[in-house]
DNA sequence: ATAGGGTTAG
């Protein structure tokens, strides 16, 4: 076990720990016992110990791994030195599970669609698929469909297509039936092998490990399963269901069968280890084995290794791996690898919005004769969609269909999400309809995206009823689903009423009534679109109509609070573990409460989730800074372990809540602590204050601190820079395009203080001034008074604290 | 044939 405590990671949630292990796999599970079972019963609230000393940071004195740039591909040996480092364990950790926590759960749901990347299947196969979906209600009718098509279907490629597409639709039973049908009719062992590995992979993606194992064993017995593909598929199947010991066992057994693992096999087993919480040292052994056998690791290998590190909190090791990756030239050599690599790079560039590079890669792929597969297309669609390049999205989607690459759940999920985020609800609705027509089933991620779209538009109650629908459909919501809803609390009440344009209004009403007509037609159409689906389509119609700003807002707040409490209730019932995002969401919800009483109800929910986070939030809110500050610091230590946007979101939420309830000084302390810990990158210099990553409360508290800071500069007799600027952004970073809440808040703040700043000519989100003007203002007698912040509520004990830590003397 | 895409907290 080396020095790593089993639960020190920030990704402590192990969603699969709830899966019942198959009976035959419970033996020899020593390892799993230690790793998979969270020793803390989740729903107990631990006692707050306000005297608890702050956590010590991770030791920095551990020996540095010696991954250096001298390493070459031919001599890859430095990895033994990447020993796991001891890392601090905190009691907060179990709740502070990072974002990765739900990924795995969501991937367990229906159809991890993975379809044949080539278009080797014939159009007959597509026709057969339609028949199998729509007409085959039982085994018998499926048989007759298959018999009907038997002579026209072209070998294993057509059958593989059929299996995969059925798998994409969650129809594992039909898929197995087709597999049995196909295997009987196939003579060549090689082709039977293809069918078998495809079938194993499909079942693996659907989380049906036991069935996958059956197929595998039969294939072995019948003499067509002895391939590296079948083994790799089974390893991956075990891995994605969390049975990493089984995955390793299968991997080890390959030797007996004289099979040499290849890159994919190694990647699958390393990935399984990552998901299964295997300690880093053990994974490195496999990695070394890989290198010894001359299999070159690729980006996926490294990513999986990195996941193991981050899981174990082994940040040093992760950093070293990363630099090793760069040293190995993974980035540079990527094009000499294979399609996989292409897709990985492509999706990275697409996410970054670097479309020139994306186009280059596409061209490169075309010239090397590598076909774009569903993953390639999905990456392109997501990339263009996130940049709001909807024309490109349409073009790529058309190209995809022309290339006869079937859009899958992820394709539609991506598209529906980007269209909803862009406010193109009609398009989103049409895609949802197409998605249902294709016979695909929504999973938790798609539902969460839909729920989020409703929430972001203030339709919290509709979101909650969709939550109920998905539960009824047998799809288990995850923490993300709940976080979306919690974070939406109060949004509708504070949402601005857009300035109405009469004509536009009428247009939208027309559009909305058209939508309703389409809806009615759909009902007649019949079976394909079910109850929940109709509801979703209705919601999109509602959203399209709500764009006209017709929302009735009376009583909303009251209803919403009841609604949100019922959501918490459901979360408890389903035993959904909260994470740091949940806490941020609750704090944000508090900021939207009009009364202290409402906020208290929400804080009470926070207390039930995590007494310690509650202790800090509540303590600061009540002005008991001195008592909770130590506790707060240890909380911030934990938050610092998250990725930067998660961390800053938490600081933003906490600060906003404090600011909202008049604890401005407390808010400022939190913000300065965040700055000290570099939660927001490069917040300030003497000439510039960059607020674009901050919430409005955090930004305002920061403006005060910054101005006090340059006031000190002035009073020390130094000159200010000629030009001073405050950047607020103008909504570019906002998920709501052009929102600019921070900009408005700062504008109001500066005006209110009489600070001589004005909006820069070419940039609405930038306030500027000159050094001399600001200096003169800062010298005015009344300025200091408006700059220093106070709390509405203070504990008498705190006056002493205030005096010592007068702002100018704070370590900034 | 086996791996790799999508959702929340700005």
């Amino acid at each position: 076990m080396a020095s790593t405590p089993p639960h020190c990671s920030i990704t402590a949630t192990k969603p699969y720990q709830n899966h019942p292990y198959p009976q035959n796999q419970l033996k020899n599970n020593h390892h799993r016992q230690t790793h998979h079972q969270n020793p803390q019963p989740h729903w107990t609230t631990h006692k707050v110990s306000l005297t608890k000393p702050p956590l010590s940071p991770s030791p920095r004195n551990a020996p540095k791994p010696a991954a250096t740039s001298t390493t070459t591909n031919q001599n890859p040996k430095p990895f033994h030195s990447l020993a796991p480092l001891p890392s601090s364990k905190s009691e907060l950790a179990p709740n502070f599970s990072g974002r990765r926590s739900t990924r795995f759960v969501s991937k367990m749901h229906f159809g991890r669609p993975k379809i044949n990347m080539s278009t080797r299947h014939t159009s007959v196969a597509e026709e057969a698929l339609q028949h199998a979906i729509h007409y085959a209600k039982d085994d018998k009718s499926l048989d007759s469909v298959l018999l009907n098509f038997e002579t026209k279907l072209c070998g294993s490629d057509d059958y593989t297509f059929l299996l995969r597409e059925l798998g994409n639709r969650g129809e594992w039973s039909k898929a197995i039936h087709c597999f049995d049908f196909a295997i009987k009719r196939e003579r060549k062992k090689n082709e039977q092998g293809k069918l078998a590995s495809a079938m194993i992979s499909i079942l693996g993606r659907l989380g049906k490990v036991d069935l996958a194992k059956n197929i595998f064993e039969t294939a072995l017995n019948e003499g067509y399963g002895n391939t590296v593909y079948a083994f790799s598929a089974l390893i991956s199947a075990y891995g994605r269901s969390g049975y990493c010991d089984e995955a390793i066992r299968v991997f080890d057994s390959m030797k007996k069968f004289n099979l040499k693992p290849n890159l994919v096999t190694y990647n699958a087993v390393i990935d399984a280890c990552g998901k299964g919480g295997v300690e880093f040292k053990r994974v490195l052994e496999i990695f070394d084995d890989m290198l010894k056998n001359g299999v070159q690791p690729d980006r996926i290998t490294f990513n999986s290794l990195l996941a193991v590190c981050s899981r174990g909190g082994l940040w040093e090791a992760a950093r070293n791996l990363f630099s090793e990756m760069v040293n190995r030239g993974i980035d540079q050599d990527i094009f000499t690898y294979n399609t996989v690599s292409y897709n990985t790079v492509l999706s990275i560039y697409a996410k970054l919005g670097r479309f020139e590079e994306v186009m280059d890669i596409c061209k490169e792929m075309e010239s090397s004769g590598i076909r774009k597969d569903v993953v390639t297309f999905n990456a392109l669609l997501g990339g263009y969609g996130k940049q709001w390049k909807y024309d490109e999205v349409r073009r790529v989607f058309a190209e995809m269909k022309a290339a006869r690459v079937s859009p899958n759940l992820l394709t539609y999920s991506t598209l529906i999400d980007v269209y909803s985020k862009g406010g193109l609800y009609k398009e989103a609705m049409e895609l949802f309809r197409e998605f249902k027509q294709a016979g695909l089933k929504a999973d938790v991620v798609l539902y969460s995206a839909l729920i989020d779209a409703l929430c972001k538009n203030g339709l919290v109650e509709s979101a909650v009823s969709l939550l109920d629908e998905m539960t009824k459909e047998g799809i288990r919501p995850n923490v993300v689903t709940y976080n979306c809803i919690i974070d939406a609390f109060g949004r509708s009440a504070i949402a601005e009423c857009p300035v109405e344009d009469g004509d536009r209004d009428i247009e939208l009403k027309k559009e909305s009534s058209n939508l309703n007509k389409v809806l009615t037609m759909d009902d007649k159409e019949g079976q394909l679109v079910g109850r929940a689906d109709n509801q979703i389509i209705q919601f999109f119609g509602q959203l399209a109509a709500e764009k006209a700003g017709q929302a009735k807002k009376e009583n909303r707040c009251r209803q919403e609070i009841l609604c949100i409490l019922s959501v918490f209730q459901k979360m408890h019932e389903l035993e959904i573990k909260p994470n740091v995002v949940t806490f941020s969401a609750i704090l944000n919800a508090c900021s939207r409460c009009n009364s202290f009483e409402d906020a208290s109800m929400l804080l009470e929910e926070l207390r039930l989730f995590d007494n310690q986070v509650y202790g800090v939030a509540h303590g600061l809110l009540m002005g008991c800074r001195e008592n909770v500050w130590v506790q707060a610091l240890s909380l911030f230590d934990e938050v610092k372990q998250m990725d930067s946007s998660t961390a800053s979101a938490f600081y933003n939420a906490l600060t906003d809540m404090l600011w909202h309830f008049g604890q401005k000084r407390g808010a400022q302390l939190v913000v300065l602590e965040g700055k000290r810990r570099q939660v927001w990158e490069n917040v300030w210099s003497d000439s510039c204050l960059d607020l674009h990553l901050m919430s409005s409360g955090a930004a305002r508290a920061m403006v005060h601190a910054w101005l006090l800071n340059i006031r000190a500069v002035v009073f020390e007799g130094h000159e200010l820079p000629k030009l001073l600027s405050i950047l607020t952004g103008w909504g570019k970073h906002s998920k709501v395009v052009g929102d600019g809440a921070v900009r408005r808040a700062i504008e109001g703040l500066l005006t209110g203080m009489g600070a001589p700043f004005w909006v820069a000519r070419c940039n609405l989100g930038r306030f500027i001034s000159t050094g001399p003007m600001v200096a003169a203002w800062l010298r005015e007698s009344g300025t200091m008074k408006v700059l220093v912040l106070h709390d509405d509520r203070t504990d008498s004990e705190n006056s002493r604290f205030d005096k010592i830590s007068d702002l100018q003397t704070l370590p900034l």
Side-chain angles (χ1 to χ4, degrees), chain A residues 10-13 93-99 101 577-581 642:
Chain A
I10 59 160
T11 51
T13 308
N95 276 337
F96 271 81
S97 39
R99 0 178 41 151
S101 59
K577 239 183 140 173
N579 61 18
V580 63
V581 183
M642 322 271 144

Side-chain angles (χ1 to χ4, degrees), chain A residues 38-315:
Chain A
N38 196 330
Q40 282 193 342
H42 181 58
W43 289 104
T44 56
T45 49
H46 24 271
K47 269 254 159 60
V48 165
S49 148
L50 293 177
T51 52
K52 190 184 149 208
L55 294 163
S56 54
S58 308
R60 301 264 163 229
N61 54 352
K64 274 233 161 151
T68 65
S69 56
T70 52
T71 319
T72 66
N73 286 357
Q74 278 68 43
N75 185 23
K77 270 268 127 192
F79 288 90
H80 281 305
S81 50
L82 291 167
L85 298 169
S87 122
S88 65
K89 179 183 188 309
S90 152
E91 291 175 21
L92 282 170
N95 276 337
F96 271 81
S97 39
R99 0 178 41 151
R100 221 171 275 102
S101 59
T102 62
R103 264 181 84 81
F104 188 55
V105 165
S106 61
K107 282 184 180 277
M108 278 314 301
H109 232 291
F110 283 118
R112 275 317 60 203
K114 164 77 187 185
I115 90 139
N116 199 343
M117 56 166 279
S118 70
T119 52
R120 276 187 220 149
H121 65 275
T122 64
S123 56
V124 179
E126 290 175 25
E127 205 188 324
L129 173 69
Q130 291 310 313
H131 283 251
I133 293 167
H134 299 310
Y135 307 121
K137 300 292 171 205
D138 52 33
D139 282 357
K140 220 176 127 196
S141 51
L142 180 56
D143 262 337
S144 63
V145 170
L146 289 170
L147 286 166
N148 241 330
F149 281 92
E150 189 183 351
T151 52
K152 286 172 273 175
L153 286 173
C154 205
S156 67
D157 288 333
D158 272 356
Y159 283 108
T160 306
F161 169 82
L162 207 53
L163 303 180
R164 286 216 178 280
E165 287 301 319
L166 287 170
N168 283 351
R169 286 154 182 83
E171 302 277 13
W172 55 268
S173 159
K174 282 185 190 174
I176 291 180
H177 197 88
C178 290
F179 170 76
D180 289 339
F181 184 91
I183 210 93
K184 275 189 217 126
R185 281 154 184 82
E186 181 59 65
R187 292 279 173 83
K188 297 190 202 91
K189 286 268 180 271
N190 186 30
E191 299 299 305
Q192 287 177 321
K194 282 187 192 175
L195 287 166
S197 39
M199 194 65 234
I200 295 164
S201 145
I202 291 158
L203 291 168
R205 280 163 196 281
L206 292 167
K208 306 277 173 199
V209 240
D210 287 345
L211 294 172
K213 191 183 170 218
N214 288 344
I215 301 283
F216 175 80
E217 280 173 352
T218 312
L220 268 188
N221 291 336
E222 306 283 323
Y224 53 86
N226 193 9
T227 69
V228 68
Y229 302 107
F231 277 76
S232 304
L234 187 65
I235 291 167
S236 149
Y238 276 129
R240 64 174 80 233
S241 285
Y243 306 128
C244 80
D245 290 344
E246 294 303 317
I248 294 172
R249 201 181 50 74
V250 173
F251 174 76
D252 288 339
S253 76
M254 287 175 79
K255 284 190 201 96
K256 279 198 306 242
F257 290 88
N258 281 325
L259 292 171
K260 273 180 83 172
N262 64 18
L263 174 65
V264 175
T265 323
Y266 278 109
N267 284 351
V269 75
I270 290 172
D271 190 55
C273 291
K275 284 167 181 153
V278 172
E279 56 183 298
F280 189 50
K281 223 174 78 188
R282 172 84 181 88
V283 185
L284 277 185
E285 282 168 24
I286 297 173
F287 183 66
D288 276 334
D289 186 57
M290 176 178 187
L291 299 176
K292 215 167 54 204
N293 288 307
V295 180
Q296 294 303 325
D298 69 351
R299 178 179 291 276
I300 295 166
T301 322
F302 278 101
N303 282 342
S304 303
L305 285 168
L306 285 170
V308 179
C309 298
S310 68
R311 179 176 195 105
L314 308 170
W315 298 108

Side-chain angles (χ1 to χ4, degrees), chain A residues 299 322 325-326 328-335 345 348:
Chain A
R299 178 179 291 276
F322 193 75
M325 199 166 148
V326 175
R328 281 177 162 260
I330 294 283
D331 276 317
Q332 288 76 23
D333 290 350
I334 205 89
F335 301 116
V345 191
I348 289 167

